[in-house]
Amino acid sequence: MERSPAARNLRFAVIGAGMSGILSAIKLREAGYDDFTVYEKADRLGGTWRENTYPGISCDVPSHLYSYSFEPNPDWSQRFSPGAEIQAYFEGVARRRGVMSRIRFGDEVTRLEFANGRWTLETKSGHRDEVDVVIAATGVLHHPKLPDLAGQDDFEGALFHSARWDHSVKLDGARVGVVGTGSSAVQIVGAIVDRVAKLSLFQRTAQWIMPQENPRYSEAERAEFRKHPELVTKLHEDMAVLFSAFSNGLVDANSPQMKAIEDACLANLEQNVRDPVLREKLRPSYKAACKRLVMSDCFYRAVQQPQAEVVTEGIERVEAKGVRTRDGRLHELDVLVLATGFRVDRFLRPIRVVGRDGIELEQVWEKRPSAYLSISIPGFPNLFMLNGPNGPVGNFSLIEVAELQLGYVLQLVSRLRAGCREICPSEEATVQLELDRTEAAKHTIWGSGCRSWYLDDRGVPMSWPWTFDRFRAEMSAPKLEAWEQKG
Ligand SMILES: Cc1cc2nc3c(=O)[nH]c(=O)nc-3n(C[C@H](O)[C@H](O)[C@H](O)COP(=O)(O)OP(=O)(O)OC[C@H]3O[C@@H](n4cnc5c(N)ncnc54)[C@H](O)[C@@H]3O)c2cc1C
């Protein structure tokens, strides 16, 4: 991209080398910004797909949609590909696009402070950097949420969170307990049931299960995709349209799309769970898609195996030999997996972020995190988040979300390049948008009466509450009246 002679040279820090950080590095370069470092605390890129290696992990968005729009992949093995393949995809993209050498691995950003139009960044190792712009690509499902189970330390077997899978632990012939019924738990149960001696699924809330076929792409199909990349691009586009229709329906709890999903889930339960007692245990008491919709073609088969049990009695405590439920029963176990999800209110935290005039992010977000359009916070100029608070986090591709957000951010950055020194959203625009968002969120499917990780401390869904088409339109160009520019 050509620069005008007056253009400022800008230095950037990208925090995180997951899907969003890799995307940022690629797009910064494409836009002509070459002065940047990607900071990654781990020794490998990939974020979610590096950390979640549990048996059965896969995408639940079709792989041809869960790909960068500019990096179609003809080689996806299945409609919903396994996690290791997704990790390899991100590593391949980063290598091909020259991102690897731009990543500073193994160094966690611990502090950001804004003064005189620039951010000073500090890392755990004591390294310092001064940059004009920070892109925080620190993830949303990144900090494991651990349940507060009494007696956990007494357990004599192996106990770990699903995002910290201990591959040294033997599963074959073992007695395994899984706590939780979200997407990870459902994938784990389906993948391990045939290997274990006993599987106890500790269920607090039943889940609607959307049937999901996962056919493999044949070698002939993949060869065709390789020969005609336009077919892969077309698949991506067609799936994006399909998912838009789905996500447009999510924002109206009574939409025909939600009814169709509930009908499909209900038929799945009625037709595929034979035992009426088990069927009732597995029947949710809220609308389908109120919690993040779980997709599976093997979960119901798995829980009907003789070695499997769905335990609905609450957990009293963990003991040396297993889990004791409130009815006094001891479920003897060798392995206990906590598939209990993530803390979804963290975002950049625990980085200590000090904005203009010494304002601390921890204070601003004391009650709950929020940001103008999920991207930026008043008082914290030139700091942009990807997949930040209250963004579109339903069952669709977060890659598409991040691509749209980054396109928006780059338009703001072009104003910095043109000479403006500080840009951040106005307090007024942010407060108004948050009021409108909160009101609209109550009418979405996530606000239709269930307990889920979508809800904040007030019970308001922490999500983009309007259609995905509206999100796309909003991301196409910043409304500059909402942005304060200085210098
Ligand atoms: C089990 C699971 C399944 C999922 N399935 C889907 C799916 O089917 N479809 C979908 O769209 N999404 C899915 N997601 C969401 C997934 O997180 C996103 O799609 C995507 O991978 C997020 O990428 P990211 O780069 O924004 O964040 P992450 O992948 O979380 O990466 C953040 C990176 O930032 C680094 N980092 C964080 N803080 C610091 C710091 N202070 N200093 C340095 N580095 C830091 C982390 O180490 C990490 O590498 C899933 C998530 C999980 C956990």
Side-chain angles (χ1 to χ4, degrees), residues 238-251 255-258 261 396 467-469 472:
D238 290 350
M239 284 173 177
V241 172
L242 238 146
F243 267 69
S244 284
F246 162 70
S247 36
N248 289 348
L250 287 166
V251 299
S255 64
Q257 291 98 316
M258 292 304 100
I261 284 171
F396 34 83
T467 63
F468 201 74
D469 295 337
R472 222 181 252 126

Coordinates of all heavy atoms in Angstrom, one line a residue, residues 238-251 255-258 261 396 467-469 472:
D238 N -20.9 -19.6 0.8 CA -22.2 -20.2 1.0 C -22.5 -20.5 2.5 O -23.6 -20.3 3.0 CB -22.4 -21.5 0.2 CG -22.4 -21.3 -1.3 OD1 -22.5 -20.1 -1.7 OD2 -22.3 -22.2 -2.1
M239 N -21.5 -21.0 3.2 CA -21.7 -21.4 4.6 C -21.8 -20.1 5.4 O -22.6 -20.1 6.4 CB -20.5 -22.2 5.1 CG -20.5 -23.6 4.7 SD -19.0 -24.4 5.1 CE -19.3 -26.1 4.5
A240 N -21.1 -19.0 5.0 CA -21.3 -17.8 5.8 C -22.7 -17.3 5.6 O -23.3 -16.8 6.6 CB -20.3 -16.7 5.2
V241 N -23.3 -17.4 4.5 CA -24.7 -17.0 4.3 C -25.6 -17.8 5.2 O -26.5 -17.3 5.9 CB -25.1 -17.1 2.8 CG1 -26.6 -16.9 2.6 CG2 -24.3 -16.1 1.9
L242 N -25.4 -19.1 5.1 CA -26.2 -20.1 6.0 C -26.1 -19.7 7.4 O -27.1 -19.7 8.2 CB -25.7 -21.5 5.8 CG -26.6 -22.5 5.2 CD1 -25.9 -23.5 4.3 CD2 -27.3 -23.2 6.4
F243 N -24.9 -19.5 7.9 CA -24.7 -19.1 9.3 C -25.3 -17.8 9.7 O -25.7 -17.6 10.8 CB -23.2 -19.3 9.7 CG -22.9 -20.6 10.2 CD1 -22.9 -21.7 9.4 CD2 -22.7 -20.8 11.6 CE1 -22.7 -23.0 9.9 CE2 -22.4 -22.1 12.1 CZ -22.4 -23.2 11.2
S244 N -25.3 -16.9 8.7 CA -25.9 -15.6 9.0 C -27.3 -15.7 9.3 O -27.9 -15.1 10.2 CB -25.7 -14.6 7.8 OG -24.4 -14.2 7.7
A245 N -28.0 -16.6 8.5 CA -29.4 -16.8 8.7 C -29.7 -17.4 10.1 O -30.6 -17.0 10.8 CB -29.9 -17.8 7.6
F246 N -28.8 -18.3 10.5 CA -28.9 -18.9 11.8 C -28.7 -17.8 12.9 O -29.5 -17.7 13.8 CB -27.9 -20.0 11.9 CG -27.6 -20.4 13.4 CD1 -28.5 -21.1 14.1 CD2 -26.4 -20.2 13.9 CE1 -28.3 -21.5 15.4 CE2 -26.1 -20.5 15.2 CZ -27.1 -21.2 16.0
S247 N -27.6 -17.1 12.7 CA -27.3 -16.1 13.8 C -28.3 -14.9 13.8 O -28.6 -14.3 14.8 CB -25.9 -15.6 13.7 OG -25.5 -15.5 12.4
N248 N -28.9 -14.6 12.6 CA -30.0 -13.6 12.6 C -31.2 -14.1 13.5 O -31.8 -13.3 14.1 CB -30.4 -13.3 11.2 CG -29.4 -12.5 10.4 OD1 -28.4 -12.0 11.0 ND2 -29.5 -12.4 9.1
G249 N -31.4 -15.4 13.4 CA -32.5 -16.0 14.2 C -32.3 -16.0 15.7 O -33.2 -15.9 16.5
L250 N -31.0 -16.0 16.1 CA -30.7 -16.1 17.6 C -31.1 -14.9 18.3 O -31.4 -14.9 19.5 CB -29.1 -16.2 17.7 CG -28.5 -17.5 17.4 CD1 -27.0 -17.3 17.3 CD2 -28.8 -18.6 18.4
V251 N -31.2 -13.7 17.6 CA -31.5 -12.5 18.3 C -33.0 -12.3 18.6 O -33.5 -11.3 19.2 CB -30.9 -11.3 17.6 CG1 -29.4 -11.4 17.6 CG2 -31.5 -11.1 16.2
S255 N -38.1 -16.7 16.9 CA -37.9 -16.7 15.5 C -38.1 -18.1 14.9 O -38.0 -19.1 15.6 CB -36.5 -16.3 15.1 OG -35.6 -17.2 15.6
P256 N -38.5 -18.2 13.6 CA -38.7 -19.6 13.0 C -37.4 -20.4 13.0 O -37.5 -21.6 13.2 CB -39.1 -19.3 11.6 CG -39.3 -17.8 11.4 CD -38.8 -17.1 12.7
Q257 N -36.3 -19.7 12.9 CA -35.0 -20.5 12.9 C -34.8 -21.2 14.3 O -34.4 -22.3 14.3 CB -33.8 -19.5 12.8 CG -33.7 -18.9 11.4 CD -34.2 -17.5 11.4 OE1 -35.3 -17.3 11.9 NE2 -33.6 -16.6 10.7
M258 N -35.2 -20.5 15.4 CA -35.0 -21.1 16.7 C -36.0 -22.3 16.9 O -35.7 -23.3 17.5 CB -35.2 -20.1 17.8 CG -34.1 -19.0 17.9 SD -32.4 -19.7 18.1 CE -31.8 -19.6 16.4
I261 N -34.6 -25.2 15.1 CA -33.5 -25.9 15.8 C -34.1 -26.7 17.0 O -33.7 -27.8 17.2 CB -32.5 -24.8 16.3 CG1 -31.7 -24.3 15.1 CG2 -31.6 -25.3 17.4 CD1 -30.8 -23.1 15.4
F396 N -21.1 -19.4 15.7 CA -20.6 -19.1 14.4 C -19.1 -18.8 14.4 O -18.5 -18.9 15.4 CB -21.4 -18.0 13.7 CG -21.9 -16.9 14.5 CD1 -21.1 -15.9 14.9 CD2 -23.2 -16.9 15.0 CE1 -21.5 -14.8 15.7 CE2 -23.6 -15.9 15.8 CZ -22.8 -14.9 16.2
T467 N -28.7 -8.5 14.6 CA -28.4 -9.6 13.6 C -26.9 -9.5 13.2 O -26.3 -8.5 13.4 CB -29.2 -9.3 12.3 OG1 -28.9 -8.0 11.8 CG2 -30.7 -9.4 12.6
F468 N -26.5 -10.6 12.6 CA -25.1 -10.6 12.1 C -24.9 -9.6 10.9 O -23.9 -9.1 10.7 CB -24.7 -12.0 11.8 CG -23.2 -12.2 11.8 CD1 -22.5 -12.2 13.0 CD2 -22.5 -12.2 10.6 CE1 -21.1 -12.3 13.0 CE2 -21.1 -12.3 10.6 CZ -20.4 -12.4 11.8
D469 N -26.0 -9.5 10.2 CA -26.0 -8.5 9.0 C -25.7 -7.1 9.6 O -25.0 -6.4 9.0 CB -27.3 -8.5 8.3 CG -27.5 -9.9 7.6 OD1 -26.5 -10.6 7.4 OD2 -28.7 -10.2 7.3
R472 N -22.1 -6.9 10.5 CA -21.3 -6.7 9.3 C -21.4 -5.2 8.8 O -20.3 -4.6 8.5 CB -21.8 -7.6 8.3 CG -20.7 -8.3 7.5 CD -21.3 -9.2 6.4 NE -21.1 -10.6 6.8 CZ -22.0 -11.5 6.8 NH1 -23.3 -11.2 6.6 NH2 -21.7 -12.8 7.2

